[in-house]
Amino acid sequence: MNLDRPEMRQDPVEGRWVLISPGRANRPMPHDSAFLADEGTCPFCQGNEALTPPELSAVRPSGGLANSPGWTVRIVPNRYPAVMPGQPAVLGPGQLQAVGAHEVVVECPGHLPTVTGLGAGHLETVLGLARERVASLSADPAHAWVQLFKNAGAAAGASLYHAHMQILSVPEVPQRIENMLHRAESLGHCPVCEQIRWEHEKKIRIVSEKDGLIAFCPFASGFPHEVWICPANHQPHWELMPDNLLESMSRLLWEVLSGLEKRLGLFPHNLVMQGAPRFHPLARHGHWVLRVLPRLNGIAGFEWGTGMLINTVAPEAAAEGLRG
Ligand SMILES: [Zn+2]
Ligand SMILES: [Zn+2]
């Protein structure tokens, strides 16, 4: 589908509007310099374990000592944390001690910018270790919100070339998450379930569907080639998903990322896992979604001023490309 005229579309989950303006795709935009190899020694490479704080967990198929080589995925504290461990404390009105966890999930021992070349099974190992860590943090009410995310490429906020995800917890549920839960409560239904029902009817934005999971380019995509992966049935807490679902989700994510790499090359992107805060009174309204957000459009003045993203690729065209 090609849009002759720009459209404004409203995202049913958050209520935010986006501009779908394919005509703007014709303007020159540099983005391929986003994966510059680092200068100096990479702290995430196998053999350089001493350059990170002591590991919190790791997968070592052949055993071996912590903080030594032989791992396939490794979680370590972030060397430059945004929050610190400690006791939650109110410091004043609108002022809290920023206590929490800030950790790095190193996705592979080799110096690679992406792990799609290692296969879907490896991605499952990465996401399995991250799920375990997030489940353990989320079980403690002091971590009101635990975010798993990935910044890949400088344009997506990455400071290191070596493939990694991050886990960052905060002692307050972020306003954006609050708003989504309250929106579902006031609508009287789950907007993600509603959107999936709608996508099944329209059949123009679905990329793939199997094993109870669906991947689609959302109607009001804010980013070119944006993809959501989520369970077709309502499930609030992604970190509690069973192993068989984790395996299917990893395979689906691997297919989506491989498809995007085929189309875009090495592309800057964020992965954002959004579920529901474990102890929130409205947690039942959450429907977990893994968002794949290619960062090919800048967040510039208009976007900051309005909160309205400008997307240059219609989601219908993005889905068609990925299905192909
Ligand atoms: Zn490295
Ligand atoms: Zn739902």
Side-chain angles (χ1 to χ4, degrees), residues 64-307:
L65 292 174
N67 304 304
S68 70
W71 51 275
T72 53
V73 183
R74 187 167 184 253
I75 300 184
V76 297
N78 195 306
R79 276 194 302 180
Y80 307 101
V83 294
M84 297 284 225
Q87 287 303 311
V90 177
L91 303 175
Q95 192 178 10
L96 303 176
Q97 198 78 60
V99 295
H102 192 174
E103 302 170 358
V104 178
V105 183
V106 185
E107 293 179 55
C108 55
H111 195 60
L112 301 171
T114 167
V115 298
T116 47
L118 304 179
H122 185 82
L123 199 51
E124 185 186 345
T125 309
V126 173
L127 291 166
L129 197 67
R131 174 191 60 170
E132 202 175 279
R133 189 66 193 146
V134 170
S136 139
L137 291 168
S138 304
D140 176 356
H143 301 278
W145 179 253
V146 185
Q147 182 68 58
L148 173 69
F149 64 101
K150 176 180 173 75
N151 303 334
S159 53
L160 288 168
Y161 175 86
H162 193 130
H164 64 285
M165 297 185 190
Q166 295 182 63
I167 295 167
L168 175 48
S169 81
V170 285
E172 275 283 302
V173 175
Q175 196 61 44
R176 186 171 186 180
I177 307 300
E178 283 282 356
N179 290 349
M180 285 195 262
L181 296 173
H182 284 278
R183 184 174 166 83
E185 169 90 346
S186 63
L187 287 171
H189 65 258
C190 167
V192 177
C193 285
E194 180 73 10
Q195 189 165 356
I196 293 169
R197 211 163 20 247
W198 196 22
E199 297 303 344
H200 279 144
E201 256 174 53
K202 300 270 178 190
K203 294 187 170 60
I204 48 174
R205 284 178 294 267
I206 295 177
V207 174
S208 177
E209 187 165 23
K210 57 185 122 173
D211 306 328
L213 291 166
I214 182 169
F216 62 99
C217 296
F219 167 71
S221 297
F223 298 89
H225 309 283
E226 176 172 347
V227 180
W228 290 10
I229 296 173
C230 63
N233 293 317
H234 191 81
Q235 291 175 32
H237 302 290
W238 73 269
E239 73 277 12
L240 303 179
M241 81 172 87
D243 287 346
N244 59 336
L245 203 60
L246 180 84
E247 185 191 348
S248 305
M249 181 192 73
S250 306
R251 198 176 335 111
L252 205 47
L253 177 62
W254 180 82
E255 284 170 15
V256 166
L257 292 175
S258 303
L260 287 169
E261 282 176 11
K262 215 171 272 172
R263 280 175 75 80
L264 305 170
L266 202 52
F267 67 106
H269 64 279
N270 298 113
L271 297 183
V272 177
M273 185 61 104
Q274 280 177 335
R278 191 79 66 81
F279 300 100
H280 195 286
L282 299 180
R284 65 186 182 283
H285 291 308
H287 186 144
W288 71 255
V289 176
L290 173 56
R291 300 181 189 219
V292 181
L293 308 173
R295 297 297 304 277
L296 309 174
N297 53 345
I299 307 284
F302 177 80
E303 290 83 350
W304 278 115
T306 59

